[in-house]
Amino acid sequence: MAENTPHIKLLDEIGFGKTVLMPGDPLRAKFIAETFLENPVLVNGVRGVNGYTGYYKGVKVSVMASGMGMPSMGIYCYELFKFFDVQNIIRIGSAGSISPDCNVRDIVAGIGACTNSAFSQQYGLDGTVAPVCNFEMLSAAKEVADEKKYNFKIGSLYSSDTFYDDTRASVDWAKVGCLAVEMEAAALYTTALRLGKRALAICTISDLCYEPFTSLDADERQNSFTDMMTLALETAVKIDSLPHLEPKE
């Protein structure tokens, strides 16, 4: 069993699966575990960020909340990758459409994540980091989406540090091809690249950030994104045989 970290304290020897699904909301993590996983076990409860491990179609899978925003995601995905031997993280969250090509309840997979965050400045690189997903995970997700005929879009996400933005600058990122705005993918992708692990962000469109403005309520966000949840779990099954990766120093 791995050593505990400041934010993760293992509560059961089952530990974490190779793949962890990460919604932002702890209640969404609980819903996924109780709805989809066989014999789910609570494996983390520090700060109420509940994590569960169980089995889906015979594959050991975990689901744990990331909290909201890049600092929170950066903490949890780093500790999972670095200290608990997690190989793959799939973010499953909500996003606001900034493109007329994406409608409410469409599923968007981020091939890359633009951002206004200074998250990557920690690496001291003389330039701009372009965080991208793992191609094998994206390919597996597309196969599942095609099989199930989901409304599935692939494109860039815009990861914003601000939810309430006086300038409404998020919609301008559609000019460079971003499909939707969310708040975690860039930190997840950057951390995965830095540690040599795999990551993919899949988001369901919960809001339209242009007229006619539309927004799903909190209960709908927590409980109704079942296509996205199934997509992530089926992807976890497809990628279970990918090679083991040790974290880079």
Side-chain angles (χ1 to χ4, degrees):
M1 187 178 294
E3 293 292 329
N4 293 322
T5 65
H7 306 94
I8 301 173
K9 180 180 180 181
L10 282 181
L11 301 176
D12 192 278
E13 64 183 9
I14 192 173
F16 289 97
K18 291 180 182 178
T19 300
V20 177
L21 277 56
M22 296 199 81
D25 183 356
L27 291 178
R28 193 181 298 162
K30 183 175 186 288
F31 174 84
I32 294 167
E34 293 178 348
T35 304
F36 293 97
L37 299 185
E38 295 179 14
N39 304 315
V41 176
L42 182 69
V43 292
N44 182 60
V46 177
R47 297 174 180 245
V49 179
N50 293 339
Y52 304 85
T53 297
Y55 291 86
Y56 181 79
K57 295 188 174 180
V59 174
K60 183 179 172 182
V61 179
S62 299
V63 54
M64 190 176 89
S66 70
M68 290 187 289
M70 281 175 271
S72 185
M73 170 60 85
I75 289 170
Y76 289 111
C77 71
Y78 183 93
E79 292 184 3
L80 288 169
F81 281 143
K82 183 77 172 180
F83 303 111
F84 295 94
D85 203 31
V86 170
Q87 301 290 299
N88 319 297
I89 292 178
I90 304 175
R91 160 164 160 66
I92 47 172
S94 58
S97 172
I98 56 177
S99 167
D101 293 332
C102 293
N103 297 310
V104 171
R105 289 195 173 86
D106 283 353
I107 302 172
V108 177
I111 195 167
C114 300
T115 186
N116 63 352
S117 171
F119 188 86
S120 66
Q121 290 183 12
Q122 63 183 294
Y123 305 125
L125 300 171
D126 186 17
T128 302
V129 175
V132 295
C133 73
N134 175 265
F135 181 74
E136 293 161 311
M137 294 177 72
L138 179 61
S139 297
K142 186 178 186 307
E143 286 181 15
V144 174
D146 288 346
E147 290 166 4
K148 294 186 174 294
K149 296 179 169 44
Y150 290 150
N151 291 326
F152 184 71
K153 310 289 174 59
I154 298 173
S156 292
L157 297 170
Y158 169 56
S159 298
S160 177
D161 262 345
T162 50
F163 186 87
Y164 297 105
D165 187 342
D166 278 358
T167 68
R168 286 187 46 77
S170 296
V171 296
D172 289 339
W173 285 86
K175 296 175 183 176
V176 291
C178 291
L179 299 180
V181 56
E182 52 83 68
M183 301 186 72
E184 289 84 25
L188 172 61
Y189 286 4
T190 304
T191 303
L193 291 168
R194 173 63 185 87
L195 294 178
K197 297 299 184 84
R198 307 181 188 96
L200 177 65
I202 300 171
C203 296
T204 298
I205 299 299
S206 59
D207 304 84
L208 302 183
C209 299
Y210 51 84
E211 294 184 3
F213 299 110
T214 305
S215 182
L216 301 180
D217 65 29
D219 287 340
E220 288 177 301
R221 292 168 192 248
Q222 179 182 312
N223 298 325
S224 71
F225 294 169
T226 52
D227 285 352
M228 173 179 63
M229 297 168 188
T230 300
L231 172 60
L233 288 163
E234 293 289 340
T235 300
V237 172
K238 281 185 176 290
I239 64 174
D240 190 58
S241 61
L242 290 177
H244 183 273
L245 301 169
E246 293 293 340
K248 295 191 300 187
E249 296 299 325

